[in-house]
Amino acid sequence: MTDAVVLAALLGVVGGIVLSALLLLARRYARGAGGLGSEAEEATYRALHQASLAAPYLRGGLATPDVARAARHLRAVLGSPAVMLVVGDVVVARDGQTEGLEAAAHRIAAQVAETGKRRVFPRAEGGDGLEAVGAPIRVDGAVAGVLVAFAAPVRAALVRAAGEVAEWCAAQATLGELDASRAALAEADLRALRQQISPHFIYNALTAIASFITTDPPRARELVLEFADFTRYSFRRQGEFTTLAEELRSIHSYLELERARFGDRLTVTLRISPETLSTVIPFLSVQPLVENAVRHGLEPGEGGGTILIASEDAATHTEITVEDDGAGMDPDELHALLTRAGDAANVGLRNVDTRLRQLYGAEGGLVVETNTGAGTLVRMRIPKSQPHHLTRGEE
């Protein structure tokens, strides 16, 4: 065999190997292009997808009926033949081949809850050779439930996965509690605002109405109706959100009652862009600013003053301002008022600022411009798009 023949044969073999390698790479690339990449990446995606499907059912807490619907997705994440979630002495969720395993699940959950640690159980009685792993679900430092996964056999990967999934379940339940706490805090803020309205304003309003009963009965009757409209709106129990138009109607009633006290000493100017009237705003967010302007801006002085209420369309936001030419406030005092609990009489301004920041982020709070003797301007910017915030009529 000549050298040329040998060289040609070697080149043919090498060429075949290279061609085979290229074909294999092309096949893997084509499969990856149509999917999510490697098998590990696809497995990660599937696990995350199942976890996202389970999350809404765990947010209400482990003791709610919805948690049962999470079991199927948790079992898919674990890749286990059977999964149970035990809270106290009740199996609240199950999926897979769980027949005949409930008694074993109770025993496993009791031991895991007692020790507070993840445990592996060699064989569940009556489980046709299935072993089990139990992992505690800790919420606020206490074992709120136990995740039990069955397999034959239980391998190290399942033990680790059960622990991670149990911690993830705990995180979802905790997030649900935080959502509930945030809602309770918002309701507490509203109660504080209502309490602020109650003692000071109601006394003054009733005194003003009484002064007209004998001298001007028709005016007294009008003020009684304004008072009824104002209190009906302010003390309503449903809905955390309203529209700017509804809030302005309540503000009109409030100012009519204040005019009965101040007379010509109170001047009110409105500059409201019509397109902003449908803007969804937090309930009792503008009204406390107007009350603050009257009580702390104009009331201390003998000459009264002017309040300007304005709204304008600012592209993605509606900008609302309340301005008075009254007493104003030292900027350092204002900063102290907004950053820590202080004078109960000014709770309205602080609560509105806190609620806005909770809803719209750190940049969503009030902007206040003031100085002693220079009046006060308070500005808020409300996003136009708020798909998750419904007014009372939309619920």
Side-chain angles (χ1 to χ4, degrees), residues 18-321:
V18 172
L19 180 61
S20 298
L22 289 174
L23 288 173
L24 179 60
L25 288 174
R27 180 180 177 186
R28 293 188 65 180
Y29 173 80
R31 182 170 57 187
L36 294 170
S38 67
E39 292 182 2
E41 290 170 334
E42 291 185 7
T44 300
Y45 167 78
R46 288 193 298 269
L48 291 173
H49 178 62
Q50 292 296 331
S52 68
L53 293 176
Y57 305 125
L58 295 165
R59 290 288 177 88
L62 301 181
T64 61
D66 281 348
V67 76
R69 303 174 67 179
R72 176 167 61 93
H73 305 298
L74 297 179
R75 188 171 75 87
V77 172
L78 293 170
S80 174
V83 166
M84 292 187 184
L85 185 59
V86 184
V87 175
D89 57 356
V90 179
V91 176
V92 297
R94 67 180 74 204
D95 192 71
Q97 304 165 11
T98 60
E99 186 176 354
L101 296 176
E102 184 165 337
H106 281 297
R107 288 193 295 272
I108 292 169
Q111 294 182 48
V112 171
E114 182 179 358
T115 62
K117 298 180 180 179
R118 183 181 58 193
R119 292 190 57 185
V120 176
F121 299 82
R123 185 177 185 278
E125 294 181 11
D128 297 328
L130 288 177
E131 297 178 354
V133 55
I137 301 174
R138 291 183 171 275
V139 178
D140 293 333
V143 178
V146 176
L147 177 68
V148 183
F150 296 91
V154 169
R155 301 186 185 278
L158 179 59
V159 176
R160 291 193 298 271
E164 294 295 332
V165 170
E167 290 184 7
W168 179 83
C169 290
Q172 299 307 308
T174 301
L175 287 174
E177 289 187 356
L178 290 175
D179 288 340
S181 297
R182 183 175 61 182
L185 179 61
E187 180 61 28
D189 287 340
L190 288 178
R191 285 198 300 269
L193 288 171
R194 291 179 175 122
Q195 289 169 1
Q196 178 204 13
I197 293 166
S198 173
H200 181 88
F201 171 72
I202 291 179
Y203 172 80
N204 288 332
L206 292 177
T207 301
I209 292 170
S211 69
F212 285 98
I213 289 177
T214 56
T215 60
D216 191 349
R219 177 63 172 155
R221 186 163 49 250
E222 291 174 2
L223 291 175
V224 167
L225 294 176
E226 297 288 4
F227 181 76
D229 289 342
F230 174 81
T231 54
R232 185 182 302 112
Y233 177 82
S234 299
F235 294 98
R236 80 180 195 184
R237 295 184 177 276
Q238 295 180 343
E240 293 182 31
F241 296 87
T242 187
T243 63
L244 178 59
E246 288 181 344
E247 188 103 342
L248 287 174
R249 279 194 288 269
S250 177
I251 290 171
H252 169 80
S253 296
Y254 167 77
L255 290 173
E256 283 298 306
L257 292 162
E258 291 291 26
R259 279 198 186 98
R261 286 200 305 132
F262 281 86
D264 294 337
R265 293 186 299 123
L266 174 59
T267 302
V268 179
T269 302
L270 297 179
R271 295 178 185 168
I272 306 297
S273 298
E275 62 269 25
T276 65
L277 290 172
S278 61
T279 301
V280 174
I281 65 174
F283 176 62
L284 287 182
S285 57
V286 181
Q287 181 176 297
L289 305 184
V290 176
E291 292 185 43
N292 189 77
V294 172
R295 292 181 60 186
H296 305 292
L298 306 185
E299 194 171 284
E302 296 181 358
T306 300
I307 293 177
L308 169 64
I309 305 170
S311 68
E312 63 179 22
D313 190 324
T316 59
H317 289 69
T318 291
E319 187 169 288
I320 303 169
T321 58

